[in-house]
Amino acid sequence: MTRTFEPSLNVDLGREIDNFRAELRTWLSRNVPKDYSSANESDDYELRRKWQSTLFDAGWAGIAWPETYGGRGAGPLQQFVYYEEMARAGAPEPVNQPGLILFGPTLMVYGSEELKRRYLPRMLSADDIWCQGFSEPEAGSDLASVRTRAEIQDGHFVVTGQKIWTSFATHAQKCALLCRTSDTEKPHAGLTMLILDLEQPAVEVKPIRQITGDDLEFGQLFIDRAHVPIDHVAGEIGGGWKFAMKMLEFERSDLGLHNHAALTRRVKAAAELVREALKQGTLAAADAHALKQRLADVWSRCGLLRQFNLAVAQGLANGVNPGPQSSLLRLYWSELSQAIGELEYDCVGPDAPLASEFAHEYLYSKHTTIASGAQQIQRDIAAQRYLGLPR
């Protein structure tokens, strides 16, 4: 009997969730594009945009969004299952993730009805691609140090500054831009979130090429007296910090529902690589044993991560926010992602083509302990807010 390296829990989520999973699995089996490769994200940008449009037309885009805004109104357990089935089917990631997961849900909470009416439908359908303008050269994990400045002149905002590591900036038309509108004793109190149109001469976008060779995910923004209409404040003037923290809250919650799913698929692929390496019979007994031990380790850790994330989903379904525990889960996920990448790399060797999926995943995993708050920042958060240790 062939073993399946797919962590699972014998947990009954109920008939409604099982029916949801079956419906989605059937739809994916008929609609997932066959020519997608995560190792060629830059080339597959248009495919991913078309894929999000396909999801939108079928009612599978932004499933957690309220039906009022074109979503499905799915709860956390349905979201948990949704991500598992998307990963299981090898489906592309929708191209407008910052909009779907971060800015859209936050705009629903704090945005005006006019902004929601204007931007949410096009965000969901991928007619408008969004990016997140948070980090700057002098303000990475410390968002309160943002220097990009916006001043009101002649009835609109004039914005000048620079952003870096801006997700999906190279293809985006709109940016959720965190900027400084006043100088206050408490730096975070002088921040405002604006909706910036990137398609204007005052904004220059330059891609950042990563070690994977991709230049889709990140870009730099150089802003020199760009104009933003006065009514394009997301929330309220001076309320940018609150808006940004809500966005990050949505990101943490979403990550806790899905980060195990893609890793499960990678562990299954790593298992095949280990089998091939062992089949060749060229490894010393000690090396072969160590390889099997490493596979067992990442497989077990992936199963535990799934269990942790299911607990998060069940908690959210009962109105319990994971809070600082999300920092612990992010640490766990980031280190596991790198361990899987290193196992894959050791199986395929340094001569594997850079364009191969395994080389790509190995290189890509290097960012996981930096993105969305570096590993050290996550440890500080967990220590202070979860364990109650002093600063």
Side-chain angles (χ1 to χ4, degrees):
M1 181 177 67
T2 302
R3 295 180 182 178
T4 57
F5 287 82
E6 183 168 359
S8 60
L9 293 173
N10 295 320
V11 177
D12 183 6
L13 299 180
R15 179 173 297 179
E16 180 182 354
I17 301 299
D18 290 342
N19 290 342
F20 176 85
R21 186 189 293 273
E23 179 188 357
L24 176 58
R25 184 175 293 189
T26 299
W27 185 86
L28 288 171
S29 69
R30 297 169 180 167
N31 291 279
V32 170
K34 306 302 181 186
D35 53 348
Y36 173 71
S37 169
S38 62
N40 296 293
E41 289 188 351
S42 295
D43 295 338
D44 285 345
Y45 167 78
E46 285 301 331
L47 182 149
R48 293 174 61 199
R49 188 168 187 166
K50 183 179 179 182
W51 171 241
Q52 184 175 330
S53 180
T54 301
L55 290 170
F56 173 75
D57 291 340
W60 290 111
I63 63 162
W65 286 28
E67 294 181 18
T68 306
Y69 300 117
R72 199 180 182 100
L77 288 172
Q78 289 174 314
Q79 291 175 262
F80 179 87
V81 166
Y82 175 85
Y83 285 126
E84 286 201 325
E85 292 304 316
M86 291 283 279
R88 179 182 180 276
E93 186 177 88
V95 76
N96 208 10
Q97 291 292 77
L100 292 177
I101 295 172
L102 304 177
F103 190 71
T106 312
L107 192 65
M108 294 175 204
V109 176
Y110 294 124
S112 68
E113 288 303 317
E114 169 60 21
L115 291 179
K116 288 187 281 190
R117 181 192 63 79
R118 181 182 302 183
Y119 289 118
L120 289 177
R122 293 180 60 83
M123 189 185 299
L124 195 61
S125 65
D127 288 331
D128 285 339
I129 305 300
W130 286 72
C131 64
Q132 176 186 353
F134 277 21
S135 296
E136 297 179 5
E138 301 298 327
S141 297
D142 181 14
L143 280 181
S145 299
V146 160
R147 297 180 181 180
T148 295
R149 181 167 290 275
E151 299 177 345
I152 298 177
Q153 297 180 12
D154 300 325
H156 56 257
F157 289 97
V158 177
V159 185
T160 298
Q162 182 182 350
K163 295 290 180 178
I164 196 167
W165 302 115
T166 306
S167 301
F168 298 98
T170 53
H171 292 286
Q173 293 82 45
K174 308 293 179 184
C175 178
L177 189 78
L178 186 65
C179 53
R180 185 161 303 284
T181 48
S182 65
D183 295 308
T184 62
E185 185 176 342
K186 295 181 178 180
H188 64 271
L191 300 176
T192 299
M193 189 74 70
L194 299 179
I195 297 176
L196 174 69
D197 183 356
L198 298 180
E199 297 178 319
Q200 55 178 301
V203 179
E204 182 181 7
V205 182
K206 292 185 176 180
I208 298 175
R209 187 169 294 276
Q210 299 166 255
I211 57 174
T212 57
D214 295 334
D215 59 9
L216 167 64
E217 187 168 6
F218 295 113
Q220 299 182 73
L221 301 181
F222 297 91
I223 309 166
D224 185 11
R225 297 188 61 78
H227 285 196
V228 174
I230 196 72
D231 62 351
H232 275 46
V233 175
E236 56 189 18
I237 296 176
W241 184 258
K242 179 173 68 174
F243 199 101
M245 292 303 101
K246 177 61 72 171
M247 285 178 68
L248 295 178
E249 181 183 319
F250 278 120
E251 180 180 37
R252 288 191 294 266
S253 297
D254 187 81
L255 185 69
L257 297 175
H258 86 272
N259 57 17
H260 71 283
L263 292 190
T264 299
R265 188 164 176 262
R266 285 179 57 196
V267 168
K268 293 171 68 177
E272 295 302 320
L273 291 177
V274 170
R275 287 195 188 100
E276 286 300 316
L278 296 174
K279 189 185 299 182
Q280 292 174 10
T282 58
L283 294 174
D287 293 337
H289 178 73
L291 205 59
K292 289 187 281 187
Q293 287 293 102
R294 289 171 64 190
L295 175 62
D297 174 67
V298 296
W299 177 80
S300 300
R301 289 162 66 186
C302 199
L304 284 172
L305 182 59
R306 182 181 189 269
Q307 186 169 355
F308 295 149
N309 286 347
L310 179 57
V312 169
Q314 291 171 324
L316 289 169
N318 293 317
V320 179
N321 193 295
Q325 294 180 50
S326 59
S327 290
L328 293 173
L329 290 179
R330 182 162 188 86
L331 276 171
Y332 193 93
W333 162 78
S334 64
E335 294 173 355
L336 175 55
S337 177
Q338 292 182 356
I340 296 171
E342 289 163 4
L343 176 60
E344 293 170 335
Y345 176 82
D346 288 344
C347 286
V348 300
D351 296 328
L354 183 59
S356 73
E357 181 177 356
F358 299 112
H360 182 276
E361 293 292 353
Y362 168 72
L363 293 172
Y364 188 77
S365 70
K366 296 302 178 183
H367 90 288
T368 58
T369 50
I370 302 173
S372 300
Q375 194 176 37
Q376 293 83 355
I377 297 295
Q378 301 295 347
R379 292 186 188 280
D380 279 349
I381 293 172
Q384 295 167 26
R385 303 181 190 174
Y386 186 65
L387 299 177
L389 297 178
R391 291 179 63 86

